[in-house]
């Protein structure tokens, strides 16, 4: 039954702690999610303001689609917002037609003599998703291999365009090998660009290209190889403009590229629609309730005069994941909480299991106690009943006094047994208060020896004292006298006729040794158990109820004393000493 109880204990405990864990972690996640939602709303507002500010600062390119194409991708490339909020932007002409949007691009940024920036970027609209992913991986590898304190980037990106139309004809990825000039490398002309490359890092170290090979290329389906041969194309070293790739990594770019919401800009929008006007108005009043997936619109003017007609419109789309951000932020708290929960479950199950075991042991002890008491009381009660029946039948009237004395003797045995039970019950009560005074072990022993003198003389026993120093105790003299009386009475009762009792005391211990047959290991182990009466062959079990040593040990334990029983060359020795202090 105890096993069945323990087996059914863990489900409610685990369930309760799991519910508590989920509720606490859920509340913490919700509060953190609210914080991130507000932060993401602020990020969206700042991003829209950045678009307005950047377009107002660049007045030259207000009608140039290359500028807006570059800006649309740069918005998500340069200004990062963390892994759980991503943006895309699209620019629309005043008639609502799509002008440019955020997407992957390859190209160059150059400066003219009058410091005007030229954006020559081409979209990768003819690449498949798998090809774009390959190019993105090379872009990430190029970033990771570029160490400002060491060698230049390992990968170079090239694009071939038609000289007349600027159409993108080919994309190449080169794996480049560099050597420091101190190694005196051989001059090497790149076979694709027909150029000698050198590189100087921030520490002033010079590097020279020594080898290159094309590791990936993409020829567009409608290219004209004959035009290339007639030198109608030009090849340029290019850079990639992939949203989130270089600042947040390949995985973040991949998440952005696979988001249908961030990619699905309309080719034309209704500029006069009520939805756009409401968005513009409400956002300008800072009362727009931004959702996790939402869009904002703003006007773009050709100059800083907001009263003039806008040259185009910008639509900012963003996708936020405040729940994921909160869970990522709290991941270590989740683990710590889980570990704490498991520790608490283990502790509760351990303590509860111990409680069940203690209760089971107590129930077993009570059953044994009841059985033992019934057995101990059965003998004297049977004797009393027999003598009483003889008196009732008036047989052998001349033995009447003998019968009555036996009945009185047996009732006294029952009374002693009940008294010992009451003493044990008192000791088990936590409310038991012991009198405290200094008690001399030597005086207790002498007092009990005098009480046992008739038995000692009857068995012709010799008492040997070795009490140079007294063993002084702080305790209850009444209870300590009972403990000493039990030990001495056992020493007399189980002694051989004409034997010895040797009593030794010093400042830390007291020992009582008698001449008797050595005890077995089982007897030494169980001598202090309740109702253990030792060897039945000794013929003394009728005089020994098995409570004396049990009661003695409990009394000594209440006084922080320890008692041990051991065989000696002389016989058996009981030794009392103070408990060792805990370390």
């Amino acid at each position: 039954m105890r096993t069945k109880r323990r087996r059914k204990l863990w489900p409610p405990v685990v369930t309760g702690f799991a519910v508590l864990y989920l509720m606490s972690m859920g509340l913490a996640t919700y509060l953190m999610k609210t914080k991130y939602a507000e932060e993401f709303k602020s990020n969206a507002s700042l991003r829209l303001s950045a678009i307005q500010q950047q377009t107002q600062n660049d007045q030259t390119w207000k009608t140039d689609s290359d500028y807006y194409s570059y800006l649309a991708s740069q918005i998500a490339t340069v200004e990062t917002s963390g892994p759980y909020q991503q943006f895309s932007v699209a620019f629309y002409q005043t008639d609502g037609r799509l002008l440019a949007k955020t997407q992957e691009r390859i190209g160059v940024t150059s400066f003219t003599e009058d410091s005007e920036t030229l954006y020559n970027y081409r979209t990768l609209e003819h690449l498949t998703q798998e090809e774009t992913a390959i190019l993105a991986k090379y872009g990430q590898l190029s970033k990771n291999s570029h160490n400002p304190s060491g060698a230049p980037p390992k990968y170079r990106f090239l694009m071939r365009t038609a000289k007349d139309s600027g159409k993108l004809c080919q994309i190449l990825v080169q794996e480049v090998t560099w050597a420091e000039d101190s190694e005196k490398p051989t001059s090497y002309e790149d076979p694709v660009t027909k150029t000698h490359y050198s590189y100087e890092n921030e520490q002033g170290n010079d590097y020279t290209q020594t080898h290159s090979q094309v590791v990936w290329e993409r020829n567009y389906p409608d290219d004209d190889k004959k035009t290339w041969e007639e030198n109608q194309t030009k090849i340029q070293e290019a850079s990639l403009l992939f949203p989130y790739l270089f600042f947040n990594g390949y995985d973040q770019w991949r998440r952005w590229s696979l988001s249908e919401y961030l990619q699905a800009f309309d080719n034309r929008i209704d500029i006069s629609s009520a939805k756009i006007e409401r968005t513009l108005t409400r956002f300008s009043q800072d009362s727009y309730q931004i959702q996790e997936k939402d869009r904002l619109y703003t006007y773009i003017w050709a100059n800083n005069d907001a009263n003039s007609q806008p040259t185009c419109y910008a639509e900012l789309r963003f996708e936020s994941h405040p729940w994921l951000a909160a869970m990522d932020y709290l991941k270590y708290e989740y683990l710590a909480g889980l570990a704490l929960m498991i520790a608490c479950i283990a502790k509760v199950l351990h303590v509860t299991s111990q409680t069940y075991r203690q209760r089971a042991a107590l129930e077993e002890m009570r059953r044994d106690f009841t059985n033992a008491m019934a057995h101990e009381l059965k003998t004297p009660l049977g004797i009393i009943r027999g003598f009483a029946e003889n008196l009732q039948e008036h047989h052998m009237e001349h033995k009447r006094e003998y019968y009555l004395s036996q009945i009185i003797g047996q009732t006294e045995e029952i009374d002693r047994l009940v008294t010992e039970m009451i003493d044990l019950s008192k000791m088990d009560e936590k409310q038991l208060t012991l009198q405290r005074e200094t008690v001399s072990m030597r005086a207790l022993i002498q007092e009990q020896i005098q009480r046992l003198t008739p038995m000692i003389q009857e068995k012709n026993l010799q008492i040997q004292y070795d009490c140079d120093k007294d063993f002084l105790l702080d305790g209850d003299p009444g209870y300590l006298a009972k403990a000493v009386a039990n030990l001495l009475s056992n020493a007399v009762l189980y002694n051989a006729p004409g034997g010895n009792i040797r009593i030794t005391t010093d400042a830390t211990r007291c020992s009582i040794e008698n001449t008797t047959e050595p005890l077995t290991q089982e007897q030494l182990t169980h001598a202090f158990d309740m109702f253990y009466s030792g060897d039945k062959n000794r013929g003394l079990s009728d005089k020994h109820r098995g409570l004396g040593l049990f009661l003695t040990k409990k009394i000594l334990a209440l006084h922080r004393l320890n008692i041990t029983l051991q065989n000696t060359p002389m016989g058996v020795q009981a030794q009392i000493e103070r408990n060792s202090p805990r370390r």
Side-chain angles (χ1 to χ4, degrees):
M1 182 176 292
R2 294 194 300 270
T3 304
K4 185 176 181 180
R5 280 183 181 176
R6 286 196 295 270
R7 189 183 302 121
K8 290 186 177 181
L9 174 64
W10 67 267
V13 173
V14 172
T15 301
F17 274 101
V19 170
L20 180 62
Y21 171 78
L22 292 175
M23 289 179 61
S24 58
M25 292 297 103
L27 178 60
T29 305
Y30 174 77
L31 295 176
M32 189 57 61
K33 172 258 180 186
T34 303
K35 172 183 175 295
Y36 274 107
E38 290 299 318
E39 180 179 320
F40 291 155
K41 176 181 178 180
S42 176
N43 286 345
S45 302
L46 292 175
R47 188 60 54 90
L48 201 63
S49 299
I51 294 173
Q52 294 173 325
Q53 184 68 29
Q54 189 162 355
T55 54
Q56 288 174 2
N57 290 339
D58 281 329
Q59 300 300 317
T60 307
W61 305 98
K62 284 298 177 282
T63 58
D64 195 311
S65 61
D66 281 347
Y67 167 76
Y68 289 111
S69 297
Y70 174 82
L71 179 60
S73 294
Q74 191 187 46
I75 289 295
T77 303
V78 178
E79 300 180 18
T80 59
S81 55
Y84 297 108
Q85 187 180 33
Q86 293 183 326
F87 295 90
S88 288
V89 65
F91 294 96
Y92 291 92
Q93 297 179 3
T94 54
D95 60 359
R97 287 185 295 110
L98 181 65
L99 180 63
K101 66 176 181 179
T102 303
Q103 56 186 313
E104 298 89 350
R105 299 176 185 275
I106 185 172
V108 295
T109 304
S110 60
F111 298 88
T112 61
E113 294 181 357
D114 56 358
S115 298
E116 291 182 349
T117 306
L118 298 176
Y119 302 98
N120 186 20
Y121 278 83
R122 298 293 177 264
T123 63
L124 304 175
E125 53 193 4
H126 293 294
L127 293 185
T128 64
Q129 195 172 59
E130 290 74 14
E131 290 173 331
T132 307
I134 292 173
L135 196 58
K137 288 181 179 179
Y138 278 115
Q140 181 69 11
L141 290 173
S142 176
K143 171 182 176 290
N144 294 340
S145 66
H146 179 59
N147 184 356
S149 61
K154 185 177 180 180
Y155 295 96
R156 177 186 297 136
F157 302 94
L158 302 172
M159 69 175 184
R160 186 187 299 274
T161 57
K163 289 183 177 181
D164 53 353
S165 63
K167 183 181 68 172
L168 182 61
C169 302
Q170 187 184 38
I171 299 175
L172 300 170
V173 180
Q174 282 185 317
E175 185 178 358
V176 184
T177 304
W178 301 86
E180 287 192 66
D181 285 357
S182 58
E183 300 174 2
K184 299 180 180 179
T186 305
S187 178
Y188 176 80
E189 182 182 78
D190 190 272
V192 178
T193 63
K194 309 301 181 182
T195 305
H196 295 267
Y197 286 96
S198 61
Y199 177 86
E200 181 180 355
N201 64 13
E202 294 181 356
Q203 283 68 35
N205 298 326
D206 294 323
Y207 292 85
T208 299
Q209 179 179 325
T210 59
H211 183 70
S212 69
Q213 63 175 341
V214 175
V215 293
W216 186 84
E217 65 177 292
R218 172 62 159 87
N219 300 320
Y220 280 81
D222 55 350
D223 59 6
D224 186 354
K225 290 292 183 64
K226 184 178 179 180
T227 304
W228 298 6
E229 296 171 358
E230 294 176 354
N231 200 25
Q232 296 301 309
T233 63
K234 61 179 180 180
I235 191 165
Q236 295 174 283
E237 185 175 353
S239 60
L240 300 180
L241 200 62
F242 277 40
Y244 297 99
L245 178 65
F246 295 104
F247 288 90
N248 297 83
Y250 175 84
D251 291 338
Q252 286 301 104
W253 165 82
R254 191 67 173 169
R255 177 186 296 179
W256 174 87
S257 66
L258 296 177
S259 172
E260 294 183 3
Y261 178 75
L262 295 177
Q263 307 299 324
F265 286 101
D266 298 327
N267 291 325
R268 179 183 288 273
I269 60 172
D270 184 3
I271 299 299
S272 62
S273 69
K275 181 178 180 181
I276 293 179
E277 292 298 331
R278 281 200 307 271
T279 303
L280 289 166
T281 304
R282 293 177 66 184
F283 180 73
S284 64
Q285 295 174 355
D286 198 24
S287 61
Y288 186 72
Q289 299 299 316
I290 298 179
Q291 306 300 318
E292 293 181 10
K293 282 187 178 182
D294 214 334
R295 63 184 73 180
L296 297 174
Y297 296 90
T298 185
Y299 297 108
I300 303 297
W301 288 280
N303 50 55
N304 292 328
D305 185 7
N307 295 321
S308 62
Q309 291 296 321
T311 58
C312 64
Y313 298 89
E315 176 188 346
L316 178 70
R317 289 195 178 196
F318 55 92
E319 189 173 62
S320 303
H321 301 280
W323 282 108
L324 293 178
M327 287 188 286
D328 181 64
Y329 181 82
L330 295 173
K331 58 186 176 184
Y332 295 112
E333 283 74 7
Y334 293 155
L335 294 176
L338 181 62
L340 179 62
M341 181 190 71
I342 293 174
C344 290
I345 289 175
K347 182 66 176 178
V348 169
L349 290 177
H350 175 70
V351 171
T352 309
S353 180
Q354 275 190 329
T355 303
Y356 276 128
R357 285 196 296 267
Q358 291 172 356
R359 287 177 59 184
L362 182 60
E363 290 176 4
E364 185 176 356
M365 186 178 69
R366 286 176 178 174
R367 287 194 300 270
D368 294 342
F369 175 78
T370 303
N371 294 333
M373 283 294 294
H375 177 76
E376 294 293 335
L377 291 173
K378 183 177 180 180
T379 300
L381 288 174
I383 294 173
I384 292 171
R385 180 184 178 89
F387 286 136
E389 288 176 349
N390 289 336
L391 289 174
Q392 189 178 31
E393 294 177 1
H394 304 288
H395 293 307
M396 294 179 288
E397 289 290 337
H398 62 280
K399 291 187 176 182
R400 180 182 180 88
E401 294 299 326
Y402 172 75
Y403 291 158
L404 291 175
S405 65
Q406 289 296 319
I407 290 173
I408 292 172
Q410 293 301 322
T411 57
E412 288 177 349
E413 285 293 324
I414 295 174
D415 183 67
R416 282 195 294 271
L417 182 61
V418 171
T419 301
E420 289 180 340
M421 292 297 100
I422 293 174
D423 289 338
L424 287 175
S425 177
K426 288 180 179 179
M427 292 179 193
D428 287 334
E429 294 179 359
K430 295 182 179 179
Q431 294 81 7
L432 176 65
T433 303
L434 297 174
Q435 297 180 8
R436 291 291 179 181
E437 59 181 82
T438 301
V439 180
S440 168
M441 182 63 75
R442 180 189 300 174
L444 287 178
I445 292 173
Q446 291 175 350
E447 179 185 346
Q448 297 304 318
I449 289 292
Q450 291 178 359
R451 189 179 66 82
L452 295 171
T453 297
M455 294 178 61
I456 294 173
Q457 291 177 350
E458 182 182 350
K459 301 189 72 169
N460 193 25
L461 302 178
Q462 300 295 321
I463 307 297
Q464 300 177 4
Y465 287 98
D466 185 7
C467 302
D468 293 338
K469 292 184 179 180
D470 198 359
F471 186 25
L472 299 179
L473 304 173
D474 179 24
D476 191 306
Y479 281 107
L480 288 173
K482 288 183 181 181
V484 174
N486 287 333
L487 291 175
L488 288 174
S489 64
N490 276 357
V492 173
L493 187 63
Y494 288 106
N495 212 320
N500 296 325
I501 296 177
R502 181 183 299 163
I503 301 171
T504 305
T505 64
D506 58 29
T508 60
R509 64 177 60 86
C510 171
S511 64
I512 300 173
E513 186 178 3
N514 68 334
T515 51
T516 185
E517 294 293 329
L519 300 179
T520 65
Q521 185 60 44
E522 179 186 358
Q523 291 170 331
L524 290 173
T525 303
H526 299 286
F528 297 103
D529 292 350
M530 183 184 292
F531 295 117
Y532 184 76
S533 55
D535 188 359
K536 302 295 183 182
N537 295 326
R538 294 189 178 201
L540 297 172
S541 60
D542 58 336
K543 300 179 182 179
H544 183 69
R545 303 299 181 187
L547 288 174
L549 290 180
F550 178 76
L551 184 61
T552 297
K553 186 171 184 178
K554 288 188 72 71
I555 292 173
L556 295 178
L558 290 173
H559 291 80
R560 297 186 178 180
L561 297 172
N562 186 39
I563 182 170
T564 56
L565 206 62
Q566 59 186 354
N567 292 320
T568 65
M570 176 177 170
V572 177
Q573 181 188 68
Q575 180 169 280
I576 303 171
E577 59 184 349
R578 292 186 175 89
N579 288 336
S580 301
R582 295 181 180 179
R583 296 183 178 179

